[in-house]
């Protein structure tokens, strides 16, 4: 008997995307409701305490390097910072971008690759931020990891355009647009060095894609030779 069940209108979201999205939402929910259970604090103070406890700061990284001492709680900051946001609006924007990019990248890459793109790009982006902007303040939020997914998506578009013998520069329109927006915001609202983490995250995601596309690196090289 043949299976006559209709195909779903929407492809399911990759489980790893759902899991990471749930963590981000639970952290934001804790920021919103947590102060109600702790006397003598408010939402703003609650967030600031979390940023200082779990965010990335160049001075902390510099202290670890100078003393050749790398406590686990400080190393964990390179992952934990990506789940902390400065406001509910910032969280909402991050979640929207994360779900969109996670779904698109998940259509070509396995779930473990999505996790590596997001977390790996966040770690490398935070390290680059710490080394390149010693006075850059605190780094927090999901954008470095999201830019890693954008890097993977750009890689997908680049390979597709190359195979189609279409102008490959079109693959980089999205990152160019986003970087332009960040530059504009920097001019309007004041200089911020977080773009270092975002751009590094993008490059990291793009490079990692070479190793996770089905068929492996040899398959990619074969495509590039034929195109």
């Amino acid at each position: 008997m043949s299976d006559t069940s209709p195909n779903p209108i929407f492809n399911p979201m990759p489980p790893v995307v759902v899991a990471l999205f749930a963590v981000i939402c639970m952290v934001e929910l804790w920021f919103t409701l947590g102060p109600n259970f702790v006397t003598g604090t408010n939402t703003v103070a609650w967030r600031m305490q979390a940023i200082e406890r779990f965010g990335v700061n160049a001075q902390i990284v510099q202290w670890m390097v100078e003393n050749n001492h790398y406590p686990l709680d400080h190393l964990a900051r390179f992952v934990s910072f990506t789940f902390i946001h400065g406001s509910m609006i910032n969280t909402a924007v991050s979640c929207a971008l994360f779900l969109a990019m996670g779904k698109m990248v998940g259509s070509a890459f396995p779930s473990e690759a999505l996790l590596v793109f997001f977390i790996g790009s966040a770690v490398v982006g935070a390290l680059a931020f710490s080394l390149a902007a010693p006075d850059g303040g605190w780094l927090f939020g999901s954008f470095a990891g999201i830019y890693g997914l954008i890097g993977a998506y750009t890689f997908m578009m680049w390979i597709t355009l190359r195979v189609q013998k279409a102008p490959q520069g079109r693959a980089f329109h999205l990152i160019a647009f986003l970087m332009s927006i960040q530059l504009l915001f920097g001019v309007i609202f004041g200089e911020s060095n977080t773009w270092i983490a975002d751009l590094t995250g993008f490059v990291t995601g793009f490079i990692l894609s070479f190793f996770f596309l089905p068929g492996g690196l040899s398959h990619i090289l074969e495509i590039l030779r034929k195109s």
Side-chain angles (χ1 to χ4, degrees):
M1 184 187 226
S2 60
D3 185 6
T4 59
S5 59
N7 294 324
I9 298 177
F10 302 104
N11 293 326
M13 189 72 70
V16 67
V17 174
V18 175
L20 291 171
F21 171 75
V23 173
I24 295 173
C25 289
M26 286 189 293
V27 171
E28 180 58 37
L29 186 63
W30 178 242
F31 285 147
T32 302
L33 301 179
N36 296 328
F37 302 99
V38 179
T39 59
T41 186
N42 55 51
T43 301
V44 175
W46 196 261
R47 287 185 190 274
M48 291 305 301
Q49 292 172 7
I51 291 171
E52 292 176 357
R53 176 64 182 84
F54 299 105
V56 172
N57 186 279
Q59 293 182 358
I60 294 176
V61 176
Q62 184 179 359
W63 175 87
M64 289 192 293
V65 173
E66 290 177 350
N67 292 276
N68 195 28
H69 182 53
Y70 303 91
L72 184 59
D73 57 337
H74 284 336
L75 293 177
R77 293 173 180 269
F78 286 93
V79 175
S80 61
F81 84 94
T82 197
F83 298 104
I84 303 172
H85 296 83
S87 67
M88 185 179 294
I89 294 177
N90 188 249
T91 303
V93 173
S94 297
C95 285
L97 283 173
F98 175 67
L99 291 176
M101 299 311 305
K103 187 173 182 61
M104 288 189 288
V105 175
S107 65
F109 291 95
S111 292
E112 58 270 21
L114 296 177
L115 183 61
V116 172
F117 292 153
F118 184 74
I119 299 298
S121 298
V123 171
V124 177
L127 182 60
F129 169 84
S130 301
L131 297 177
D135 298 320
W138 291 96
L139 177 68
F140 53 91
S142 301
F143 281 101
I146 292 171
Y147 270 78
L149 294 175
I150 294 174
Y153 172 74
T154 301
F155 176 86
M156 292 166 49
M157 294 296 298
W158 175 62
I159 289 293
T160 300
L161 292 171
R162 188 178 180 94
V163 170
Q164 296 175 350
K165 300 188 183 304
Q168 298 166 39
R170 286 161 46 191
F172 298 90
H173 284 178
L174 178 58
I175 185 61
F177 171 76
L178 292 174
M179 285 289 105
S180 298
I181 292 295
Q182 283 205 344
L183 177 62
L184 178 62
F185 279 10
V187 172
I188 296 175
F189 300 106
E191 184 179 358
S192 173
N193 292 313
T194 57
W195 66 268
I196 298 173
D198 298 339
L199 185 57
T200 304
F202 169 83
V203 174
T204 302
F206 187 90
I207 293 175
L208 287 173
S209 301
F210 280 89
F211 303 96
F212 284 98
L213 197 68
L217 184 59
S218 59
H219 181 57
I220 299 299
L221 295 176
E222 182 180 354
I223 293 177
L224 295 178
R225 284 195 298 266
K226 291 181 178 180
S227 59

